[in-house]
Amino acid sequence: MALALGGFAAAQGQREVVVGLAGDPPGGDPHKARGAQGGHILFNLHAGLVELSGDMERVSPMLASSWEQLDALTWRFQLREGLAFHNGEPFNAAAVEYSFKRLMDPDAVRLNSDFPNFEAVEAVEDYVVEVRLKAPVPSFLAVLAGFLVVPPQYTSSVSEEQYALNPVGIGPYKFVSWQPGQPFVMEAFDGYWAGRPAVDRLVFRPIPEASTRLAELLAGTVDIIAAPNYDDLKQIDGNAATRVEAAPGRRTVFLNMDHIAGLEPLQDARVRQAIAHAVDRQLLIDTLLGGYGEPLATLWRSDMFGYDPTLEPYAYDPDESARLLSEAGYPDGFAVRMLTSEIVINKGLEVAEAVASMLTDVGIVTEVVVVPDQVRRNMYIANVNRDNLQPGEVEPMWLANWGAGIPDATSALLGLLHTSGTSSFTRIPELDARIDAFASEGDDAVRLGMAHDLQDYLYAEMLQVPLFLQANLYGVNERLDWSARKDEYVLGMDISIR
């Protein structure tokens, strides 16, 4: 019966797909929100000049039909004509220029750390824009895929809060309704340039409890669940009406630390190395993650440009941890608080508690502080007060993740370690300069050396202690033809009904 109902019965003739998410999406503004929950929403509602494939390996035309590189720092894009946003506003070069200026507004909180070397986007004809760069941008087109456009007239007529709650885009689905804590509902856009999606209606429901998401999948009241509990995968695959979909992930999981006003012991590299040696990454993967995951040596994923495979993840070695703590002047260890939320990663509480237990075993007595995910985000992502932090104002260590959207470490370096980064609690001018140079180097051979030097630095300093690469896992109703993507998004254009 569950197979017969699926999520489609509620649609009264429409082809509806219901997706159960682990948390609330952060809104519909593509210049302010993204993250694990937000991308599902934004890349259904919005579109950009180009599109990056789900495996993050190919770039294809989107709102731009073609492009050419005029010189080392200038690209010209021909836009599709006759398109309109969901509210009827015309799409043209002026809309693209407006959207880029809004994304880069220095007086507003924006997720623009991927674009530090973008000088301007200018409308040079009604349907032609030029992108000018301050310096070469490696993987330029893949980076550009993260730039999404908004309608100028509507966006400038409402507050940013109103836009986030009532977004208007130009993607394959248009907004219907949403309030925080409630389902985010979208309907297929008849005027989508690539053709109307096969699925009429998409509903993203926040269902925080993994057990509840599983129960709804098995009952047929949702069609896809994100982040199923690893312990439930056999049950999902064993049910005739459902299956597990998995893809290599893009989200690195690590312990982050406050290096601005944080706990004194954590400012010593030897202590951070002791933490790295105290964590048994493979045990976490085998016992908590069902074997899904890959131990990490640094924030570099193996698919990223310049990855150095000779750097092995720190070995689990409690004796070496004790030696390093003693050498740093903490032979008796110290106490630290570590913040997490349930959904910061899959099994966020269990992973945090297991890591805390391992650290406590070597003398770093770790108290786990559990908060709602929005509290975590407000504290550590785009915290505008970071440079005025007082000791104790934020917890000194926290469980975190970063999902670089392209196979390049630039966004992680800029976002997490550069002084300008939206999630950076590090202030090291020399490191800023090295990151800036890596982000703007156009010669691959030179850049490869920079990548290895940066990985050596990160490996020695352990400014963040890397844990593992998280796999993308979903439970799926067998009535859907859909495969998991490396970029982790559930997009309606990918789904068809069997």
Side-chain angles (χ1 to χ4, degrees):
M1 181 60 75
L3 182 63
L5 288 173
F8 317 109
Q12 298 180 342
Q14 287 188 318
R15 291 173 174 262
E16 179 180 87
V17 169
V18 181
V19 182
L21 300 179
D24 231 8
D29 189 332
H31 300 157
K32 296 185 68 173
R34 196 149 299 182
Q37 317 303 329
H40 302 300
I41 304 301
L42 300 177
F43 286 92
N44 280 299
L45 280 176
H46 302 282
L49 300 184
V50 297
E51 179 184 43
L52 188 61
S53 60
D55 59 9
M56 300 195 293
E57 294 183 356
R58 301 177 307 280
V59 174
S60 56
M62 180 58 75
L63 299 178
S65 57
S66 62
W67 53 84
E68 61 178 327
Q69 185 171 9
L70 303 182
D71 56 46
L73 301 179
T74 310
W75 293 69
R76 174 171 289 186
F77 291 82
Q78 178 67 50
L79 308 182
R80 298 182 192 278
E81 299 184 25
L83 306 188
F85 290 91
H86 299 155
N87 64 344
E89 273 189 63
F91 167 73
N92 51 33
V96 178
E97 181 177 310
Y98 169 85
S99 298
F100 186 78
K101 287 180 178 177
R102 182 175 186 269
L103 173 66
M104 302 304 288
D105 184 350
D107 299 321
V109 174
R110 297 284 189 251
L111 290 179
N112 56 19
S113 60
D114 287 345
F115 304 93
N117 288 325
F118 282 59
E119 176 71 36
V121 174
E122 289 186 348
V124 295
E125 296 177 22
D126 287 348
Y127 293 97
V128 177
V129 296
E130 285 186 359
V131 178
R132 294 204 317 271
L133 306 175
K134 300 174 187 174
V137 175
S139 304
F140 164 75
L141 290 172
V143 173
L144 189 66
F147 165 52
L148 305 176
V149 301
V150 296
Q153 293 175 33
Y154 173 74
T155 307
S156 60
S157 71
V158 298
S159 69
E160 299 212 347
E161 292 73 19
Q162 289 172 322
Y163 184 85
L165 290 169
N166 297 277
V168 172
I170 194 171
Y173 287 87
K174 60 183 181 181
F175 175 77
V176 174
S177 64
W178 179 63
Q179 286 291 324
Q182 299 299 311
F184 200 113
V185 181
M186 293 177 268
E187 288 185 345
F189 177 41
D190 292 334
Y192 187 55
W193 70 270
R196 192 179 190 279
V199 174
D200 299 311
R201 187 176 169 95
L202 282 178
V203 179
F204 289 88
R205 285 178 51 198
I207 308 174
E209 292 291 334
S211 59
T212 306
R213 291 198 298 279
L214 173 66
E216 294 230 30
L217 177 71
L218 297 178
T221 50
V222 301
D223 305 296
I224 299 175
I225 60 170
N229 193 314
Y230 297 95
D231 302 330
D232 298 329
L233 299 182
K234 287 184 179 179
Q235 185 177 3
I236 293 172
D237 258 343
N239 180 32
T242 59
R243 70 181 187 278
V244 172
E245 284 285 345
R250 65 170 181 148
R251 206 160 285 280
T252 56
V253 178
F254 53 91
L255 298 178
N256 208 351
M257 303 170 196
D258 176 13
H259 299 300
I260 299 175
L263 196 67
E264 184 176 349
L266 299 181
Q267 310 316 309
D268 190 314
R270 293 167 295 184
V271 170
R272 300 191 295 267
Q273 292 166 359
I275 292 173
H277 277 300
V279 178
D280 189 337
R281 294 161 181 76
Q282 195 59 54
L283 185 65
L284 293 175
I285 292 169
D286 292 341
T287 59
L288 293 178
L289 310 184
Y292 288 96
E294 174 187 331
L296 291 174
T298 71
L299 55 74
W300 242 267
R301 299 191 316 242
S302 60
D303 65 328
M304 286 177 166
F305 175 87
Y307 170 71
D308 184 353
T310 66
L311 294 178
E312 297 283 345
Y314 271 51
Y316 172 59
D317 190 341
D319 292 338
E320 180 65 4
S321 288
R323 188 192 70 76
L324 287 164
L325 287 173
S326 181
E327 182 179 305
Y330 302 98
D332 299 322
F334 59 91
V336 64
R337 286 160 61 91
M338 179 173 68
L339 183 141
T340 190
S341 75
E342 185 169 3
I343 65 169
V344 60
I345 60 170
N346 292 356
K347 283 200 167 183
L349 301 187
E350 293 93 330
V351 170
E353 289 169 354
V355 170
S357 176
M358 294 173 184
L359 297 182
T360 300
D361 285 345
V362 300
I364 304 172
V365 180
T366 305
E367 177 186 354
V368 176
V369 180
V370 183
V371 298
D373 198 58
Q374 192 58 50
V375 173
R376 178 192 66 84
R377 295 180 63 85
N378 292 343
M379 187 176 294
Y380 296 118
I381 301 175
N383 182 339
V384 296
N385 193 45
R386 279 173 295 168
D387 284 318
N388 299 310
L389 281 179
Q390 299 301 310
E393 193 169 330
V394 302
E395 301 298 349
M397 187 163 67
W398 59 99
L399 191 61
N401 76 79
W402 189 270
I406 65 172
D408 193 285
T410 298
S411 75
L413 293 168
L414 288 169
L416 290 168
L417 291 165
H418 195 280
T419 298
S420 66
T422 54
S423 302
S424 173
F425 285 75
T426 300
R427 301 290 183 267
I428 304 175
E430 296 82 3
L431 179 58
D432 288 351
R434 295 173 70 173
I435 293 171
D436 288 337
F438 177 75
S440 60
E441 179 55 58
D443 185 315
D444 279 356
V446 175
R447 197 163 185 258
L448 181 63
M450 291 178 170
H452 285 189
D453 288 346
L454 278 165
Q455 286 169 87
D456 288 342
Y457 175 85
L458 298 178
Y459 193 76
E461 291 295 324
M462 284 286 120
L463 293 167
Q464 290 117 8
V465 175
L467 297 178
F468 54 83
L469 182 67
Q470 178 175 278
N472 297 335
L473 295 170
Y474 307 85
V476 183
N477 190 299
E478 284 288 7
R479 293 189 65 176
L480 300 188
D481 186 359
W482 178 80
S483 298
R485 300 163 56 109
K486 183 170 186 174
D487 66 11
E488 77 188 5
Y489 303 142
V490 178
L491 303 184
M493 290 295 284
D494 294 339
I495 303 173
S496 60
I497 299 170
R498 292 171 173 167

